[in-house]
Amino acid sequence: MTTHDLRLIAREAPAPTDPVFEARHLIDGEWHMSTGTFTRESPAHGTLVTRAALGTKADTEAAITAARTAFDDGSWSELSGKERAAVLSKTADLIERDIDRIARLETLESGKPISQAKAEIEIAADLWRYSAALARTSVGETQNALGRDMLGMTLKEPIGVVSLITPWNFPFLIVSQKLPYALAAGCTCVVKPSELTSATTVVLGELLMEAGLPAGVLNIVLGYGMPVGEVMTSDPRVDMVSFTGSTGVGRAIVAATAPTLKKVALELGGKNPQVVFPDADLDAAADAIIFGIYFNAGECCNSGSRIIVHKDVVAPLTEKLTALSRKVAFGDPLHPDTQVGAIISDAHLEKIDGYVKGAVEDGAALALGGDTLPVAGLPGKFYAPTLVSGVTPDMAIATEEVFGPVLSILSFENFEEALGLVNGTEYGLSAGVWSQDMDTCLKFARHAQAGTVWTNTWMDGFAELPFGGVKQSGLGRELGRQAIEDYQEVKTVTMRIGATSRAPWVAG
Ligand code: NAD
């Protein structure tokens, strides 16, 4: 494609020469290598970033043993909420202290822009602080209306040993949506980051050790789904698995946990629609749609990857989207002005391109982009901002997760048709509506099958608000007050008090 009409940020500085990050497992408070290693190169610059210990079945079992022992001896689970909160708050302070180092590693491993990486680490620190508040305020209930001589109460107890498995697209943020809440509840954990982005989870482990977390409470094993993830999800000593990643692996995890009936929390994929009604503020909608599709190069579970636009405004909106796309800065993720960085891997780049080419073969049109993107001075993997118009519901690109900077544009004539398109995929993560009519927005919010609905905005998120999916987008909710509850069991204590009024069961 011609790139002269796009905003490209070439590599201006010399290629990064950061020392290679040596990532090791954290098991029972000690850092361990394995016999084997694996490496990760910057997807933008091609330079070696991380050499990591390659986790084995034995490493994973040792980590589970450490977590089980630490849970059962009560060294964390029986601390007061105040004591647990102190460690979580201190961790937030240390994350903020080390934000530049963490963000740089995150950018080098993932290809995301440095300004965005910094913002994500700041949000993550806030989640550690919020979970500290939950550690002190999570309470059970008392039931005082069971009769004169009865009193009931519920205890919130930590569920036990939790396996946390995370993906590559928001490595530090997603582990921070799980780990602080599990720790706040009093659980002990085994964590496996994606094999593509091990480094910042290891840094988080270092910070937790510095913050005073007892040995064995957090264990980190680096490596692949097989064998590390497989052992973490099948070992009978693990009580719960919390997973963020693809829907396919989510299904495999449910199957792996079935023989030992573990609790499972899943945050999976999405094909998130935004419906634009003719009375919408088209400028505001266009800006948010552009953010929603190019943020994190579209490698985002919440990517607003399809818009469903009323036929009367599809032409002017497409025109606005095309003009705005040309102004988004694609290029070197280390440059402070870059808004969209590199794609995570060659295989993923091919997958994105395959969806676009397939849609064109099926009759869709390219309003912009549709190809890989050369960026001067960088050997890496970039994909052009891409708008695919004339998409129809039967095309794969209309219903499957592309996970790239590729927007599908569909059109509709009435509310019912739009809703049918919104709910016509296997996913149900997020959905959005653009209209100045509150009735339209609320009707949409009540009928869209999604865990989150945004009205006249896209992808605003807060520690205070829960996040998760329905249908094939997941099970359970992260964030919000109830985030800690995912990692708790409720125990009912029923007490008969004082002289009993109950008639004896045995006559006599
Ligand atoms: P993935 O499913 O390929 O891998 C996720 C993690 O699972 C990695 O750590 C991987 O090593 C591990 N894994 C792979 N096979 C396993 C197995 N059999 N048992 C246990 N663990 C195994 O996902 P990905 O490619 O890293 O991430 C992209 C996907 O994540 C997308 O589908 C995206 O929508 C989803 N995602 C969802 C959310 C959300 O909150 N809903 C957030 C971010 C990403």
Side-chain angles (χ1 to χ4, degrees):
M1 67 170 295
T2 54
T3 56
H4 61 272
D5 54 354
L6 300 177
R7 184 168 170 219
L8 297 183
I9 306 241
R11 183 170 68 75
E12 291 172 351
T17 53
D18 303 47
V20 175
F21 184 85
E22 303 287 346
R24 293 171 294 166
H25 313 301
L26 175 61
I27 301 173
D28 205 12
E30 304 284 337
W31 295 97
H32 291 268
M33 278 309 289
S34 292
T35 320
T37 58
F38 62 102
T39 56
R40 173 67 179 157
E41 294 177 352
S42 161
H45 310 91
T47 50
L48 183 61
V49 183
T50 304
R51 186 179 300 109
L54 179 61
T56 61
K57 183 167 187 273
D59 295 326
T60 317
E61 287 175 345
I64 294 170
T65 301
R68 188 75 258 168
T69 305
F71 185 80
D72 293 343
D73 72 17
S75 58
W76 181 252
S77 58
E78 291 176 12
L79 290 186
S80 68
K82 181 179 174 181
E83 289 166 309
R84 288 203 287 262
V87 174
L88 302 176
S89 297
K90 173 84 177 154
T91 304
D93 294 342
L94 297 176
I95 291 169
E96 281 165 353
R97 181 196 70 190
D98 288 358
I99 188 165
D100 289 336
R101 175 181 177 229
I102 302 170
R104 188 165 173 98
L105 273 171
E106 195 86 317
T107 286
L108 287 174
E109 278 196 336
S110 71
K112 69 176 64 207
I114 189 74
S115 59
Q116 182 193 317
K118 280 187 189 158
E120 286 170 24
I121 312 301
E122 273 169 23
I123 296 169
D126 183 48
L127 300 183
W128 283 86
R129 258 186 240 300
Y130 185 74
S131 67
L134 294 181
R136 299 190 70 170
T137 54
S138 171
V139 290
E141 292 176 349
T142 56
Q143 179 50 264
N144 196 34
L146 304 174
R148 178 183 305 163
D149 52 1
M150 297 302 295
L151 183 64
M153 63 181 178
T154 57
L155 307 181
K156 299 274 185 73
E157 297 186 341
I159 196 163
V161 175
V162 186
S163 287
L164 306 175
I165 301 177
T166 57
W168 47 260
N169 56 347
F170 298 96
F172 198 86
L173 184 57
I174 288 177
V175 75
S176 298
Q177 289 182 193
K178 300 180 186 295
L179 182 57
Y181 300 92
L183 294 178
C187 295
T188 60
C189 300
V190 179
V191 176
K192 190 195 92 59
S194 164
E195 57 276 16
L196 298 174
T197 50
S198 309
T200 56
T201 300
V202 171
V203 174
L204 181 60
E206 291 169 5
L207 299 183
L208 275 153
M209 294 293 98
E210 189 181 338
L213 191 72
V217 175
L218 166 65
N219 305 273
I220 300 170
V221 187
L222 308 173
Y224 292 80
M226 297 290 170
V228 180
E230 203 272 332
V231 175
M232 286 171 67
T233 52
S234 59
D235 192 297
R237 296 169 297 167
V238 171
D239 300 294
M240 173 179 173
V241 176
S242 177
F243 169 78
T244 297
S246 58
T247 296
V249 173
R251 285 194 195 102
I253 283 175
V254 171
T257 56
T260 49
L261 284 180
K262 302 181 195 316
K263 182 172 181 183
V264 182
L266 301 173
E267 296 288 342
L268 308 175
K271 186 72 191 177
N272 312 297
Q274 294 181 74
V275 176
V276 184
F277 285 90
D279 65 339
D281 176 340
L282 286 193
D283 288 323
D287 187 73
I289 290 165
I290 289 292
F291 166 61
I293 191 58
Y294 299 134
F295 173 70
N296 214 50
E299 296 169 329
C300 178
C301 56
N302 257 336
S303 169
S305 56
R306 57 186 177 126
I307 56 170
I308 299 164
V309 188
H310 191 272
K311 68 175 181 29
D312 290 351
V313 290
V314 73
L317 184 64
T318 305
E319 216 170 283
K320 286 179 194 292
L321 294 173
T322 309
L324 288 180
S325 294
R326 291 200 165 102
K327 294 185 184 167
V328 179
F330 278 61
D332 187 349
L334 286 175
H335 194 291
D337 293 344
T338 296
Q339 292 170 286
V340 184
I343 300 298
I344 193 78
S345 66
D346 286 328
H348 190 54
L349 195 72
E350 266 174 46
K351 183 181 156 198
I352 295 169
D353 197 45
Y355 272 112
V356 175
K357 302 282 187 301
V360 172
E361 271 166 32
D362 291 344
L366 284 175
L368 186 72
D371 215 338
T372 53
L373 187 65
V375 177
L378 292 173
K381 315 156 208 325
F382 295 86
Y383 202 79
T386 297
L387 303 177
V388 188
S389 59
V391 173
T392 50
D394 52 310
M395 297 177 186
I397 205 167
T399 54
E400 294 176 22
E401 193 179 44
V402 176
F403 231 54
V406 176
L407 180 68
S408 295
I409 305 173
L410 295 91
S411 62
F412 74 95
E413 293 192 17
N414 58 51
F415 187 96
E416 282 63 36
E417 185 190 359
L419 196 65
L421 291 169
V422 165
N423 294 338
T425 75
E426 65 175 15
Y427 294 115
L429 192 58
S430 307
V433 57
W434 292 89
S435 167
Q436 307 217 21
D437 180 344
M438 216 12 139
D439 287 348
T440 304
C441 292
L442 285 177
K443 188 173 165 193
F444 178 88
R446 294 176 77 161
H447 290 93
Q449 296 169 347
T452 294
V453 173
W454 283 294
T455 76
N456 295 315
T457 185
W458 187 258
M459 229 180 333
D460 290 311
F462 298 89
E464 290 82 355
L465 290 177
F467 174 69
V470 302
K471 294 158 74 178
Q472 310 273 313
S473 287
L475 294 173
R477 292 290 178 272
E478 295 187 335
L479 308 180
R481 286 189 66 78
Q482 65 270 51
I484 190 171
E485 291 171 10
D486 247 12
Y487 300 99
Q488 291 172 323
E489 292 283 12
V490 175
K491 180 183 279 174
T492 301
V493 180
T494 310
M495 295 174 281
R496 189 171 288 281
I497 45 176
T500 181
S501 60
R502 176 178 171 269
W505 190 61
V506 180

